[in-house]
Amino acid sequence: MKILFVCNEYPPASYGGIGIFVKTLTENLVRSDIQCVVIGLYDQIDKYSVESSHGVEVRRARKTKWLPGKIHPVFQSTLERYQLSREVSKIE
């Protein structure tokens, strides 16, 4: 079984409670022989990266800025979700 988690706060990037929760959950699932992939959008990176952390596949995509300050936040969020859905569709 393979489970995909969407989390924009997976450590060691800037993280909060949800990042710690997803990290703990995925690492425990991997110990039970369940494959886990975490994907998220990040401001702090320069390019797309794929890494492995304690058996968890972590994919980080650079968040695209769609005319910052000129687009309503709701539309910015919608465009980010579209970008994320495109990244998810690339995962096998």
Side-chain angles (χ1 to χ4, degrees):
M1 177 186 317
K2 191 178 213 178
I3 301 175
L4 173 70
F5 292 88
V6 176
C7 180
N8 298 332
E9 299 181 7
Y10 197 84
S14 177
Y15 61 90
I18 189 66
I20 295 296
F21 175 78
V22 171
K23 181 175 175 35
T24 303
L25 178 62
T26 55
E27 288 176 1
N28 283 305
L29 287 170
V30 166
R31 284 191 208 115
S32 299
D33 293 326
I34 297 173
Q35 291 180 305
C36 294
V37 178
V38 178
I39 188 167
L41 299 176
Y42 296 85
D43 289 323
Q44 307 93 340
I45 64 171
D46 294 328
K47 61 180 183 170
Y48 189 86
S49 68
V50 179
E51 59 196 62
S52 180
S53 174
H54 302 284
V56 179
E57 182 180 326
V58 182
R59 296 173 173 256
R60 300 177 198 270
R62 187 177 194 301
K63 187 184 290 187
T64 302
K65 294 295 182 188
W66 308 87
L67 300 171
K70 297 184 180 190
I71 291 184
H72 192 279
V74 171
F75 294 124
Q76 176 72 30
S77 177
T78 301
L79 291 169
E80 288 171 4
R81 296 300 150 231
Y82 173 72
Q83 178 189 2
L84 188 60
S85 71
R86 290 191 57 170
E87 298 297 338
V88 167
S89 70
K90 297 175 188 176
I91 299 174
E92 296 179 1

